[in-house]
Amino acid sequence: MERTRSGNSIVSDTPYEQVPYNGSSIDTDAAAAKRVEDHFRRVPKELKQKREEHERRLRKLIKLHDPKDPGWLDDKSLLGILTACDTIFFAGDLAGRVEWEWSSLERYREELIGTTAFRRRADGQGFETLIILSEPILRNSRYDRRLLLSAFLHELIHCYLFIRCGFDARIDGGHTKGWHRIAKIINDWVHSWVGVDYLSLCNKEANLEHFHNRQPAH
């Protein structure tokens, strides 16, 4: 069993069981994707102001002053992205169920940019997730901040599907039809105000060339 520097397991410590999610059955992949679609497109009037506030915050975190601004994304910024995305896209399902850590283990130096694992919560109420991010790659100045943005959003979709669907979310390496459907919703929203091909979120694997930092050296 591989563990992070803090000792957290990055594979499930407990066998999978068909457990209830907040009192309801685990979703199918299609139902989980539709839940995101419905939540994103149908905003109740009483929640519209809150939604707009989170959209403004997320836009600022993604774009800053320039779409390719090399400004650093620290863990506080990632928390802001998680909170905003949970409000805008995931209907609050990620709250208290997502953590992340950085790793410099060998497989995260060349092979992996990020992975997500999940396990049953200690209280028995569904699942919780852990994202592992590659420190050597995602904090490498060769790449601009879009690579970390893309990787983090990519893994948040996995988190959501693990939380809603359990082990069924591992089909096709986790890149189910539902995953692609959700990625397109987020990708299209980002592209609508930043520009096409900014994050390339719909790709299962990151093309590092797309994220090369072309800012002039100071």
Side-chain angles (χ1 to χ4, degrees):
M1 179 180 294
E2 188 171 358
R3 292 182 178 272
T4 64
R5 285 178 297 184
S6 72
N8 287 331
S9 171
I10 62 171
V11 296
S12 178
D13 281 327
T14 55
Y16 172 68
E17 300 175 28
Q18 285 289 342
V19 296
Y21 175 83
N22 288 343
S24 61
S25 298
I26 289 177
D27 281 344
T28 63
D29 181 64
K34 187 175 187 304
R35 176 177 169 83
V36 171
E37 189 173 68
D38 290 346
H39 176 76
F40 176 67
R41 303 193 189 287
R42 302 170 187 171
V43 185
K45 185 179 295 185
E46 64 272 17
L47 297 178
K48 188 173 182 180
Q49 183 176 352
K50 180 181 179 182
R51 163 73 171 271
E52 289 175 347
E53 289 175 359
H54 280 282
E55 285 193 4
R56 283 194 295 271
R57 291 172 188 167
L58 186 55
R59 287 172 190 252
K60 184 176 180 180
L61 286 165
I62 290 176
K63 189 176 180 181
L64 293 182
H65 299 297
D66 182 277
K68 295 184 180 180
D69 193 314
W72 190 246
L73 282 169
D74 57 16
D75 284 333
K76 183 178 179 180
S77 298
L78 293 181
L79 178 59
I81 291 170
L82 166 60
T83 302
C85 284
D86 198 21
T87 300
I88 298 167
F89 302 107
F90 300 118
D93 288 335
L94 304 187
R97 295 174 182 268
V98 177
E99 294 185 6
W100 69 89
E101 292 188 355
W102 296 87
S103 177
S104 295
L105 294 175
E106 188 63 32
R107 64 197 298 243
Y108 291 96
R109 291 182 177 276
E110 295 182 3
E111 178 187 353
L112 296 173
I113 291 177
T115 59
T116 296
F118 73 109
R119 62 187 175 192
R120 185 174 177 175
R121 285 169 59 107
D123 60 9
Q125 296 299 307
F127 298 96
E128 60 188 0
T129 59
L130 177 64
I131 298 171
I132 308 297
L133 298 170
S134 166
E135 192 163 22
I137 297 175
L138 295 174
R139 286 184 166 168
N140 189 324
S141 60
R142 290 176 57 193
Y143 308 112
D144 64 46
R145 62 199 303 276
R146 294 175 302 150
L147 180 59
L148 176 52
L149 282 167
S150 182
F152 193 63
L153 291 171
H154 180 117
E155 299 305 329
L156 286 182
I157 301 172
H158 284 306
C159 289
Y160 169 76
L161 289 173
F162 283 142
I163 290 166
R164 296 299 309 184
C165 306
F167 262 54
D168 287 347
R170 299 177 71 177
I171 295 172
D172 295 328
H175 300 105
T176 61
K177 290 182 179 179
W179 186 93
H180 284 284
R181 188 171 164 187
I182 295 168
K184 187 176 188 306
I185 291 170
I186 299 175
N187 209 47
D188 288 352
W189 179 76
V190 173
H191 289 176
S192 70
W193 52 273
V194 176
V196 176
D197 208 28
Y198 179 64
L199 293 180
S200 296
L201 189 58
C202 293
N203 296 333
K204 293 190 294 184
E205 297 181 359
N207 177 3
L208 297 185
E209 290 291 327
H210 179 73
F211 300 102
H212 267 187
N213 190 351
R214 295 179 174 83
Q215 294 290 327
H218 295 288

mmCIF file of all heavy atoms in Angstrom, residues 68-104:
data_model
loop_
_atom_site.group_PDB
_atom_site.id
_atom_site.type_symbol
_atom_site.label_atom_id
_atom_site.label_comp_id
_atom_site.label_asym_id
_atom_site.label_seq_id
_atom_site.Cartn_x
_atom_site.Cartn_y
_atom_site.Cartn_z
ATOM 1 N N LYS A 68 -2.817 33.846 -19.138
ATOM 2 C CA LYS A 68 -1.615 33.035 -18.956
ATOM 3 C C LYS A 68 -0.695 33.639 -17.896
ATOM 4 O O LYS A 68 0.517 33.438 -17.918
ATOM 5 C CB LYS A 68 -0.886 32.872 -20.288
ATOM 6 C CG LYS A 68 -1.697 32.083 -21.303
ATOM 7 C CD LYS A 68 -0.920 31.842 -22.576
ATOM 8 C CE LYS A 68 -1.762 31.055 -23.570
ATOM 9 N NZ LYS A 68 -1.046 30.804 -24.833
ATOM 10 N N ASP A 69 -1.288 34.362 -16.973
ATOM 11 C CA ASP A 69 -0.527 34.936 -15.870
ATOM 12 C C ASP A 69 0.203 33.817 -15.131
ATOM 13 O O ASP A 69 -0.401 32.828 -14.740
ATOM 14 C CB ASP A 69 -1.488 35.652 -14.915
ATOM 15 C CG ASP A 69 -0.751 36.530 -13.919
ATOM 16 O OD1 ASP A 69 0.243 36.058 -13.345
ATOM 17 O OD2 ASP A 69 -1.180 37.673 -13.716
ATOM 18 N N PRO A 70 1.521 33.946 -14.933
ATOM 19 C CA PRO A 70 2.273 32.888 -14.267
ATOM 20 C C PRO A 70 2.097 32.883 -12.753
ATOM 21 O O PRO A 70 2.727 32.101 -12.056
ATOM 22 C CB PRO A 70 3.726 33.206 -14.640
ATOM 23 C CG PRO A 70 3.744 34.689 -14.793
ATOM 24 C CD PRO A 70 2.406 35.036 -15.395
ATOM 25 N N GLY A 71 1.238 33.779 -12.228
ATOM 26 C CA GLY A 71 1.033 33.873 -10.788
ATOM 27 C C GLY A 71 0.798 32.513 -10.140
ATOM 28 O O GLY A 71 0.090 31.669 -10.672
ATOM 29 N N TRP A 72 1.389 32.320 -8.983
ATOM 30 C CA TRP A 72 1.389 31.023 -8.320
ATOM 31 C C TRP A 72 0.029 30.689 -7.717
ATOM 32 O O TRP A 72 -0.650 31.556 -7.186
ATOM 33 C CB TRP A 72 2.456 31.028 -7.236
ATOM 34 C CG TRP A 72 2.689 29.674 -6.656
ATOM 35 C CD1 TRP A 72 2.429 29.271 -5.388
ATOM 36 C CD2 TRP A 72 3.216 28.535 -7.327
ATOM 37 N NE1 TRP A 72 2.762 27.952 -5.220
ATOM 38 C CE2 TRP A 72 3.249 27.476 -6.402
ATOM 39 C CE3 TRP A 72 3.657 28.303 -8.633
ATOM 40 C CZ2 TRP A 72 3.713 26.204 -6.728
ATOM 41 C CZ3 TRP A 72 4.116 27.044 -8.954
ATOM 42 C CH2 TRP A 72 4.145 26.019 -8.010
ATOM 43 N N LEU A 73 -0.350 29.428 -7.800
ATOM 44 C CA LEU A 73 -1.555 28.930 -7.142
ATOM 45 C C LEU A 73 -1.126 28.159 -5.903
ATOM 46 O O LEU A 73 -0.598 27.055 -6.008
ATOM 47 C CB LEU A 73 -2.336 28.003 -8.086
ATOM 48 C CG LEU A 73 -3.175 28.661 -9.176
ATOM 49 C CD1 LEU A 73 -3.656 27.604 -10.162
ATOM 50 C CD2 LEU A 73 -4.357 29.399 -8.588
ATOM 51 N N ASP A 74 -1.334 28.742 -4.730
ATOM 52 C CA ASP A 74 -0.975 28.046 -3.502
ATOM 53 C C ASP A 74 -2.166 27.231 -3.004
ATOM 54 O O ASP A 74 -3.226 27.196 -3.635
ATOM 55 C CB ASP A 74 -0.491 29.040 -2.440
ATOM 56 C CG ASP A 74 -1.524 30.124 -2.142
ATOM 57 O OD1 ASP A 74 -2.712 29.956 -2.508
ATOM 58 O OD2 ASP A 74 -1.146 31.144 -1.536
ATOM 59 N N ASP A 75 -1.998 26.564 -1.872
ATOM 60 C CA ASP A 75 -3.068 25.710 -1.363
ATOM 61 C C ASP A 75 -4.316 26.511 -0.981
ATOM 62 O O ASP A 75 -5.434 26.004 -1.086
ATOM 63 C CB ASP A 75 -2.574 24.903 -0.159
ATOM 64 C CG ASP A 75 -1.685 23.736 -0.573
ATOM 65 O OD1 ASP A 75 -1.842 23.241 -1.704
ATOM 66 O OD2 ASP A 75 -0.832 23.318 0.228
ATOM 67 N N LYS A 76 -4.129 27.745 -0.559
ATOM 68 C CA LYS A 76 -5.281 28.589 -0.250
ATOM 69 C C LYS A 76 -6.094 28.857 -1.514
ATOM 70 O O LYS A 76 -7.331 28.852 -1.487
ATOM 71 C CB LYS A 76 -4.812 29.909 0.377
ATOM 72 C CG LYS A 76 -5.959 30.821 0.792
ATOM 73 C CD LYS A 76 -5.443 32.092 1.451
ATOM 74 C CE LYS A 76 -6.593 33.008 1.844
ATOM 75 N NZ LYS A 76 -6.099 34.260 2.485
ATOM 76 N N SER A 77 -5.398 29.090 -2.625
ATOM 77 C CA SER A 77 -6.082 29.303 -3.903
ATOM 78 C C SER A 77 -6.820 28.042 -4.344
ATOM 79 O O SER A 77 -7.947 28.106 -4.846
ATOM 80 C CB SER A 77 -5.076 29.711 -4.977
ATOM 81 O OG SER A 77 -4.439 30.924 -4.650
ATOM 82 N N LEU A 78 -6.180 26.883 -4.158
ATOM 83 C CA LEU A 78 -6.828 25.622 -4.526
ATOM 84 C C LEU A 78 -8.080 25.389 -3.688
ATOM 85 O O LEU A 78 -9.090 24.891 -4.194
ATOM 86 C CB LEU A 78 -5.854 24.455 -4.361
ATOM 87 C CG LEU A 78 -4.656 24.431 -5.310
ATOM 88 C CD1 LEU A 78 -3.799 23.195 -5.043
ATOM 89 C CD2 LEU A 78 -5.097 24.463 -6.768
ATOM 90 N N LEU A 79 -8.025 25.763 -2.412
ATOM 91 C CA LEU A 79 -9.212 25.640 -1.566
ATOM 92 C C LEU A 79 -10.326 26.536 -2.087
ATOM 93 O O LEU A 79 -11.500 26.148 -2.106
ATOM 94 C CB LEU A 79 -8.873 26.002 -0.122
ATOM 95 C CG LEU A 79 -10.047 25.970 0.873
ATOM 96 C CD1 LEU A 79 -10.684 24.582 0.917
ATOM 97 C CD2 LEU A 79 -9.575 26.394 2.264
ATOM 98 N N GLY A 80 -9.964 27.734 -2.539
ATOM 99 C CA GLY A 80 -10.959 28.636 -3.115
ATOM 100 C C GLY A 80 -11.584 28.055 -4.371
ATOM 101 O O GLY A 80 -12.797 28.177 -4.594
ATOM 102 N N ILE A 81 -10.768 27.406 -5.195
ATOM 103 C CA ILE A 81 -11.274 26.768 -6.411
ATOM 104 C C ILE A 81 -12.211 25.619 -6.052
ATOM 105 O O ILE A 81 -13.287 25.467 -6.642
ATOM 106 C CB ILE A 81 -10.099 26.269 -7.275
ATOM 107 C CG1 ILE A 81 -9.343 27.468 -7.858
ATOM 108 C CG2 ILE A 81 -10.596 25.362 -8.403
ATOM 109 C CD1 ILE A 81 -8.026 27.105 -8.519
ATOM 110 N N LEU A 82 -11.808 24.813 -5.078
ATOM 111 C CA LEU A 82 -12.650 23.700 -4.625
ATOM 112 C C LEU A 82 -14.002 24.202 -4.131
ATOM 113 O O LEU A 82 -15.060 23.684 -4.535
ATOM 114 C CB LEU A 82 -11.927 22.940 -3.512
ATOM 115 C CG LEU A 82 -12.753 21.954 -2.672
ATOM 116 C CD1 LEU A 82 -13.355 20.859 -3.538
ATOM 117 C CD2 LEU A 82 -11.899 21.352 -1.562
ATOM 118 N N THR A 83 -13.995 25.210 -3.281
ATOM 119 C CA THR A 83 -15.238 25.733 -2.713
ATOM 120 C C THR A 83 -16.143 26.320 -3.789
ATOM 121 O O THR A 83 -17.352 26.069 -3.807
ATOM 122 C CB THR A 83 -14.921 26.808 -1.654
ATOM 123 O OG1 THR A 83 -14.098 26.241 -0.636
ATOM 124 C CG2 THR A 83 -16.202 27.343 -1.028
ATOM 125 N N ALA A 84 -15.550 27.095 -4.697
ATOM 126 C CA ALA A 84 -16.344 27.715 -5.758
ATOM 127 C C ALA A 84 -16.919 26.666 -6.705
ATOM 128 O O ALA A 84 -18.099 26.721 -7.069
ATOM 129 C CB ALA A 84 -15.487 28.717 -6.529
ATOM 130 N N CYS A 85 -16.105 25.701 -7.103
ATOM 131 C CA CYS A 85 -16.586 24.646 -8.005
ATOM 132 C C CYS A 85 -17.680 23.818 -7.345
ATOM 133 O O CYS A 85 -18.642 23.407 -8.003
ATOM 134 C CB CYS A 85 -15.433 23.737 -8.419
ATOM 135 S SG CYS A 85 -14.341 24.456 -9.657
ATOM 136 N N ASP A 86 -17.528 23.572 -6.055
ATOM 137 C CA ASP A 86 -18.538 22.797 -5.337
ATOM 138 C C ASP A 86 -19.878 23.522 -5.351
ATOM 139 O O ASP A 86 -20.936 22.907 -5.488
ATOM 140 C CB ASP A 86 -18.077 22.560 -3.899
ATOM 141 C CG ASP A 86 -18.835 21.430 -3.224
ATOM 142 O OD1 ASP A 86 -19.409 20.587 -3.934
ATOM 143 O OD2 ASP A 86 -18.840 21.389 -1.977
ATOM 144 N N THR A 87 -19.833 24.836 -5.243
ATOM 145 C CA THR A 87 -21.061 25.635 -5.257
ATOM 146 C C THR A 87 -21.648 25.738 -6.659
ATOM 147 O O THR A 87 -22.859 25.586 -6.850
ATOM 148 C CB THR A 87 -20.772 27.051 -4.722
ATOM 149 O OG1 THR A 87 -20.279 26.958 -3.385
ATOM 150 C CG2 THR A 87 -22.036 27.904 -4.744
ATOM 151 N N ILE A 88 -20.800 25.973 -7.650
ATOM 152 C CA ILE A 88 -21.269 26.224 -9.015
ATOM 153 C C ILE A 88 -21.677 24.946 -9.737
ATOM 154 O O ILE A 88 -22.705 24.907 -10.424
ATOM 155 C CB ILE A 88 -20.171 26.941 -9.825
ATOM 156 C CG1 ILE A 88 -19.849 28.299 -9.198
ATOM 157 C CG2 ILE A 88 -20.607 27.124 -11.286
ATOM 158 C CD1 ILE A 88 -18.581 28.936 -9.741
ATOM 159 N N PHE A 89 -20.881 23.885 -9.575
ATOM 160 C CA PHE A 89 -21.093 22.675 -10.377
ATOM 161 C C PHE A 89 -21.576 21.454 -9.582
ATOM 162 O O PHE A 89 -22.400 20.685 -10.075
ATOM 163 C CB PHE A 89 -19.797 22.290 -11.101
ATOM 164 C CG PHE A 89 -19.253 23.359 -11.989
ATOM 165 C CD1 PHE A 89 -18.117 24.071 -11.629
ATOM 166 C CD2 PHE A 89 -19.882 23.677 -13.188
ATOM 167 C CE1 PHE A 89 -17.610 25.070 -12.443
ATOM 168 C CE2 PHE A 89 -19.385 24.675 -14.013
ATOM 169 C CZ PHE A 89 -18.247 25.376 -13.639
ATOM 170 N N PHE A 90 -21.060 21.266 -8.377
ATOM 171 C CA PHE A 90 -21.235 19.984 -7.701
ATOM 172 C C PHE A 90 -22.270 19.974 -6.579
ATOM 173 O O PHE A 90 -22.352 19.018 -5.807
ATOM 174 C CB PHE A 90 -19.887 19.492 -7.175
ATOM 175 C CG PHE A 90 -18.857 19.302 -8.261
ATOM 176 C CD1 PHE A 90 -17.682 20.041 -8.262
ATOM 177 C CD2 PHE A 90 -19.072 18.404 -9.294
ATOM 178 C CE1 PHE A 90 -16.733 19.877 -9.267
ATOM 179 C CE2 PHE A 90 -18.136 18.230 -10.305
ATOM 180 C CZ PHE A 90 -16.965 18.972 -10.293
ATOM 181 N N ALA A 91 -23.057 21.025 -6.480
ATOM 182 C CA ALA A 91 -24.202 21.067 -5.558
ATOM 183 C C ALA A 91 -23.826 20.780 -4.105
ATOM 184 O O ALA A 91 -24.612 20.225 -3.344
ATOM 185 C CB ALA A 91 -25.281 20.074 -6.015
ATOM 186 N N GLY A 92 -22.605 21.149 -3.723
ATOM 187 C CA GLY A 92 -22.178 20.979 -2.338
ATOM 188 C C GLY A 92 -21.749 19.574 -1.966
ATOM 189 O O GLY A 92 -21.438 19.307 -0.802
ATOM 190 N N ASP A 93 -21.679 18.667 -2.937
ATOM 191 C CA ASP A 93 -21.366 17.262 -2.631
ATOM 192 C C ASP A 93 -19.911 17.032 -2.226
ATOM 193 O O ASP A 93 -19.588 15.995 -1.640
ATOM 194 C CB ASP A 93 -21.693 16.373 -3.835
ATOM 195 C CG ASP A 93 -23.189 16.213 -4.039
ATOM 196 O OD1 ASP A 93 -23.941 16.361 -3.061
ATOM 197 O OD2 ASP A 93 -23.608 15.941 -5.181
ATOM 198 N N LEU A 94 -19.020 17.981 -2.535
ATOM 199 C CA LEU A 94 -17.605 17.802 -2.204
ATOM 200 C C LEU A 94 -17.269 18.259 -0.787
ATOM 201 O O LEU A 94 -16.208 17.909 -0.265
ATOM 202 C CB LEU A 94 -16.723 18.579 -3.193
ATOM 203 C CG LEU A 94 -16.889 18.284 -4.682
ATOM 204 C CD1 LEU A 94 -15.818 19.025 -5.478
ATOM 205 C CD2 LEU A 94 -16.824 16.793 -4.968
ATOM 206 N N ALA A 95 -18.142 19.020 -0.175
ATOM 207 C CA ALA A 95 -17.857 19.622 1.133
ATOM 208 C C ALA A 95 -17.495 18.568 2.175
ATOM 209 O O ALA A 95 -18.250 17.627 2.414
ATOM 210 C CB ALA A 95 -19.059 20.435 1.608
ATOM 211 N N GLY A 96 -16.316 18.723 2.780
ATOM 212 C CA GLY A 96 -15.874 17.817 3.823
ATOM 213 C C GLY A 96 -15.469 16.438 3.337
ATOM 214 O O GLY A 96 -15.198 15.547 4.149
ATOM 215 N N ARG A 97 -15.396 16.249 2.015
ATOM 216 C CA ARG A 97 -15.100 14.925 1.460
ATOM 217 C C ARG A 97 -13.889 14.925 0.531
ATOM 218 O O ARG A 97 -13.596 13.901 -0.086
ATOM 219 C CB ARG A 97 -16.321 14.391 0.698
ATOM 220 C CG ARG A 97 -17.531 14.143 1.593
ATOM 221 C CD ARG A 97 -18.765 13.760 0.795
ATOM 222 N NE ARG A 97 -19.914 13.586 1.666
ATOM 223 C CZ ARG A 97 -20.285 12.432 2.215
ATOM 224 N NH1 ARG A 97 -19.587 11.341 1.969
ATOM 225 N NH2 ARG A 97 -21.335 12.361 2.999
ATOM 226 N N VAL A 98 -13.203 16.052 0.413
ATOM 227 C CA VAL A 98 -12.057 16.142 -0.498
ATOM 228 C C VAL A 98 -10.853 16.735 0.235
ATOM 229 O O VAL A 98 -10.955 17.793 0.860
ATOM 230 C CB VAL A 98 -12.377 17.022 -1.725
ATOM 231 C CG1 VAL A 98 -11.142 17.149 -2.625
ATOM 232 C CG2 VAL A 98 -13.549 16.458 -2.508
ATOM 233 N N GLU A 99 -9.733 16.042 0.153
ATOM 234 C CA GLU A 99 -8.457 16.574 0.618
ATOM 235 C C GLU A 99 -7.446 16.381 -0.500
ATOM 236 O O GLU A 99 -7.669 15.593 -1.417
ATOM 237 C CB GLU A 99 -7.983 15.848 1.883
ATOM 238 C CG GLU A 99 -8.864 16.089 3.098
ATOM 239 C CD GLU A 99 -8.296 15.440 4.354
ATOM 240 O OE1 GLU A 99 -7.155 14.904 4.277
ATOM 241 O OE2 GLU A 99 -8.976 15.459 5.384
ATOM 242 N N TRP A 100 -6.342 17.107 -0.427
ATOM 243 C CA TRP A 100 -5.279 16.903 -1.413
ATOM 244 C C TRP A 100 -3.927 17.048 -0.745
ATOM 245 O O TRP A 100 -3.784 17.684 0.288
ATOM 246 C CB TRP A 100 -5.406 17.879 -2.587
ATOM 247 C CG TRP A 100 -5.115 19.305 -2.249
ATOM 248 C CD1 TRP A 100 -3.902 19.948 -2.288
ATOM 249 C CD2 TRP A 100 -6.061 20.281 -1.801
ATOM 250 N NE1 TRP A 100 -4.037 21.252 -1.893
ATOM 251 C CE2 TRP A 100 -5.356 21.488 -1.588
ATOM 252 C CE3 TRP A 100 -7.436 20.252 -1.559
ATOM 253 C CZ2 TRP A 100 -5.982 22.644 -1.146
ATOM 254 C CZ3 TRP A 100 -8.058 21.405 -1.120
ATOM 255 C CH2 TRP A 100 -7.335 22.586 -0.925
ATOM 256 N N GLU A 101 -2.954 16.416 -1.368
ATOM 257 C CA GLU A 101 -1.576 16.487 -0.903
ATOM 258 C C GLU A 101 -0.653 16.505 -2.113
ATOM 259 O O GLU A 101 -1.047 16.132 -3.215
ATOM 260 C CB GLU A 101 -1.228 15.289 -0.016
ATOM 261 C CG GLU A 101 -1.945 15.288 1.317
ATOM 262 C CD GLU A 101 -1.434 14.203 2.242
ATOM 263 O OE1 GLU A 101 -0.581 13.403 1.788
ATOM 264 O OE2 GLU A 101 -1.879 14.158 3.389
ATOM 265 N N TRP A 102 0.584 16.936 -1.867
ATOM 266 C CA TRP A 102 1.605 16.955 -2.906
ATOM 267 C C TRP A 102 2.544 15.781 -2.694
ATOM 268 O O TRP A 102 2.859 15.422 -1.565
ATOM 269 C CB TRP A 102 2.392 18.261 -2.840
ATOM 270 C CG TRP A 102 1.552 19.463 -3.122
ATOM 271 C CD1 TRP A 102 0.819 20.184 -2.227
ATOM 272 C CD2 TRP A 102 1.341 20.071 -4.395
ATOM 273 N NE1 TRP A 102 0.168 21.212 -2.860
ATOM 274 C CE2 TRP A 102 0.472 21.168 -4.191
ATOM 275 C CE3 TRP A 102 1.805 19.802 -5.679
ATOM 276 C CZ2 TRP A 102 0.060 21.993 -5.233
ATOM 277 C CZ3 TRP A 102 1.395 20.620 -6.720
ATOM 278 C CH2 TRP A 102 0.533 21.704 -6.491
ATOM 279 N N SER A 103 3.003 15.189 -3.789
ATOM 280 C CA SER A 103 3.913 14.054 -3.697
ATOM 281 C C SER A 103 5.095 14.228 -4.644
ATOM 282 O O SER A 103 4.948 14.748 -5.753
ATOM 283 C CB SER A 103 3.186 12.752 -4.037
ATOM 284 O OG SER A 103 4.096 11.656 -4.021
ATOM 285 N N SER A 104 6.263 13.772 -4.170
ATOM 286 C CA SER A 104 7.460 13.740 -5.012
ATOM 287 C C SER A 104 7.952 12.310 -5.191
ATOM 288 O O SER A 104 9.103 12.089 -5.592
ATOM 289 C CB SER A 104 8.573 14.596 -4.382
ATOM 290 O OG SER A 104 8.199 15.953 -4.341
#
